Amino acid sequence: MADATPTPQAKKAKKKGGCRGCLKWFGIVLLVLLILIGILAVLFFRVPQRLGLFPNAAARHLAYTPDRAGGEALLAEARANGLSTQGVQLYVMPYNENGGSVAVAVFDSRDGFAFSQGGKLNPVAAAFTQIAGGAKAEELKIERVTVMYVSKKGKDLMTLSAPRAQALQFANGGMTEKQFMAALDGDINLPAVLDEQIDSFNRMMQ
Amino acid sequence: MKLSRALAIVLPLMLLTAACEKTDTDLVMDFVNSWLEERGVMEKDPKTGQYGPTLKAIPVALGVTGTGDERVDAAVQAGQAVKDIAENDKLVRNAEGDLRKDPPDRDGAKEKMDKAVNARPGDWYYRNHRGFMHLENNNDAAAKQDLAAGVAGCGGNQVCLGALYRDRANWYSGMQIGAFMAADTRTRTNCGIHKMGVESYQALVVITSGKERETYASGLQTAQLNLKNNECT
């Protein structure tokens, strides 16, 4: 019986060992949490996309060199349809597969782009119809219109893409703005959006 | 930064700024807001009337969304590719502006052209235009290298080759009226330029048909005449 009772030294040693174990587990949990936060931060700030590590559907399906001449002709048509073309770069990217193409516009506010306001349609939504709605777009076999908006800070806030058929339907009144919104696909740069909103808030507070 | 925290800051600010005069950025933010709501990424709390993120916001925030249709994903991702192209096209335009200065800023032009080509080495457009610059500088060997790299970049694709030779023919016809020529070389005989003109029109005569072919056939005759008149071999 006397053998089963631990000596004070043994008790102390056990207690010390237990504390070491706690610290070890705490360290592991902390490390895992830091790694997880790191992964989320890397994804949130689009590091893999910037480094070209994510699978790139554009590289697989679209021609490497855009049709610049087609883009210029389409831009002239969009101007005639009411789009303010200052600060707009418009390219036609042919699909590799079936002869169709995508009209991709960059609206760069650093170069003086401003939406044409005052029309019946939402100016942002109207931009899609101004690009998609003419004979040149038909001739160039435009299937989709993609619009990227670049802020004064040079950040792309949104990239939205609409099927040409839906853009035409919306322009002709055959579709509500809500329905048109539902037809859009895209990508939002949330860190840049957050940055813009904080700036806007600061301006308002001044 | 956690997504919920980020959106918790963004959304009330969106509502606050909505009441002010609308700048273009505000218009875009409103549109983005409506789109995110439409896609179920955000939802309105019926009690408080405030927007909040749904679970669908996580992949949006992390940029790992996909539509399931590769052609649609390609169209969305094309925005980023085109943003880079637009930046490099600006470099080429500025380089050509440098060449049109009197006297031309050849070093500035070369630096900008090199930057554009290095950013997108497979883009025939940049190869074409750096080749034109070399031709203007009477550096036929460097021009030949760039022009050949441009053709190789098309990989035998006829649509691509058609666009490439049209760009060359367009530059050549502009060069003849002095539009693209550097101020101090406008009157200088340059056989390399005329040879490229002849080659481009020859290719276009083969590729095109109808009225377009007739136009290029006429251009070919002029280019051949220029070659002969300048005693180029």
Side-chain angles (χ1 to χ4, degrees):
Chain A
M1 290 296 279
D3 286 343
T5 310
T7 62
Q9 286 82 358
K11 264 187 189 174
K12 202 175 172 185
K14 195 179 173 187
K15 200 175 177 183
K16 205 175 170 187
C19 191
R20 266 206 298 271
C22 284
L23 276 176
K24 193 175 122 190
W25 280 108
F26 178 72
I28 290 170
V29 169
L30 193 68
L31 190 68
V32 168
L33 274 175
L34 282 174
I35 290 170
L36 274 176
I37 290 167
I39 291 170
L40 287 175
V42 161
L43 289 170
F44 188 66
F45 290 103
R46 312 288 166 98
V47 176
Q49 287 93 329
R50 285 177 192 176
L51 297 177
L53 300 176
F54 269 10
N56 192 331
R60 277 197 301 277
H61 294 279
L62 296 171
Y64 184 72
T65 301
D67 175 2
R68 290 174 172 87
E72 278 173 25
L74 194 60
L75 188 63
E77 188 172 78
R79 191 183 300 122
N81 289 340
L83 181 74
S84 166
T85 53
Q86 170 78 34
V88 177
Q89 295 282 330
L90 180 58
Y91 294 92
V92 172
M93 305 286 290
Y95 277 113
N96 289 327
E97 297 94 359
N98 71 347
S101 53
V102 185
V104 191
V106 178
F107 294 168
D108 197 332
S109 56
R110 292 172 301 173
D111 292 336
F113 173 76
F115 284 103
S116 313
Q117 297 191 43
K120 281 181 189 172
L121 303 176
N122 175 310
V124 184
F128 289 88
T129 68
Q130 286 155 341
I131 294 169
K136 199 73 201 174
E138 179 77 41
E139 188 192 312
L140 291 165
K141 297 177 184 164
I142 302 295
E143 286 182 17
R144 301 188 68 90
V145 175
T146 298
V147 167
M148 171 185 268
Y149 181 81
V150 180
S151 71
K152 290 228 185 300
K153 286 183 171 177
K155 302 277 183 192
D156 47 298
L157 298 184
M158 64 157 204
T159 307
L160 293 175
S161 181
R164 180 167 176 261
Q166 265 75 16
L168 291 177
Q169 216 180 329
F170 176 56
N172 296 333
M175 195 181 238
T176 63
E177 193 176 308
K178 200 173 160 62
Q179 286 169 324
F180 180 63
M181 289 268 186
L184 291 172
D185 290 288
D187 189 25
I188 303 300
N189 184 351
L190 274 181
V193 164
L194 173 67
D195 191 38
E196 282 294 333
Q197 289 302 324
I198 289 170
D199 277 2
S200 181
F201 182 70
N202 286 338
R203 276 197 305 274
M204 203 175 66
M205 290 291 124
Q206 280 170 2
Chain B
M1 183 181 292
K2 282 189 175 178
L3 167 71
S4 54
R5 194 174 298 167
L7 287 178
I9 298 169
V10 169
L11 301 177
L13 292 176
M14 280 180 171
L15 296 173
L16 273 170
T17 51
C20 301
E21 192 184 329
K22 299 251 186 249
T23 64
D24 265 30
T25 304
D26 294 333
L27 282 173
V28 170
M29 302 309 292
D30 286 351
F31 197 78
V32 165
N33 195 13
S34 305
W35 182 70
L36 289 172
E37 190 187 358
E38 182 57 44
R39 301 300 289 232
V41 176
M42 294 194 303
E43 63 185 2
K44 207 173 188 178
D45 186 328
K47 287 177 188 166
T48 63
Q50 287 200 329
Y51 287 94
T54 66
L55 281 177
K56 285 183 183 175
I58 295 168
V60 173
L62 300 182
V64 290
T65 48
T67 60
D69 182 339
E70 284 242 321
R71 286 170 72 85
V72 177
D73 289 342
V76 173
Q77 290 171 9
Q80 198 55 54
V82 158
K83 189 187 169 203
D84 296 339
I85 293 169
E87 300 282 349
N88 289 303
D89 279 11
K90 215 185 275 181
L91 281 175
V92 170
R93 278 196 302 276
N94 290 342
E96 288 176 341
D98 286 347
L99 281 180
R100 281 194 288 272
K101 284 179 186 166
D102 194 5
D105 176 6
R106 294 186 193 285
D107 290 339
K110 187 180 179 306
E111 192 187 324
K112 291 175 185 104
M113 284 285 190
D114 289 350
K115 218 170 166 183
V117 170
N118 291 339
R120 289 176 57 80
D123 193 324
W124 61 255
Y125 181 81
Y126 301 138
R127 294 286 186 174
N128 263 5
H129 286 254
R130 192 168 71 175
F132 302 157
M133 180 191 72
H134 289 316
L135 286 174
E136 288 196 34
N137 293 341
N138 275 331
N139 187 352
D140 287 7
K144 206 172 173 182
Q145 217 172 353
D146 267 333
L147 296 175
V151 173
C154 276
N157 182 312
Q158 291 299 301
V159 177
C160 176
L161 286 170
L164 175 145
Y165 285 120
R166 279 185 189 92
D167 186 53
R168 289 182 187 182
N170 188 37
W171 181 84
Y172 180 71
S173 72
M175 184 279 301
Q176 288 178 86
I177 56 165
F180 299 111
M181 229 16 198
D184 65 346
T185 57
R186 263 175 209 151
T187 53
R188 200 161 66 201
T189 301
N190 189 320
C191 290
I193 289 179
H194 297 305
K195 278 181 191 164
M196 189 209 67
V198 168
E199 282 167 14
S200 305
Y201 284 122
Q202 277 173 337
L204 287 167
V205 166
V206 174
I207 291 170
T208 57
S209 60
K211 274 203 165 181
E212 199 183 9
R213 187 178 185 277
E214 280 174 32
T215 309
Y216 291 131
S218 159
L220 176 60
Q221 278 183 339
T222 310
Q224 282 170 332
L225 199 64
N226 285 337
L227 207 59
K228 195 179 164 190
N229 288 345
N230 286 293
E231 297 175 349
C232 299
T233 50

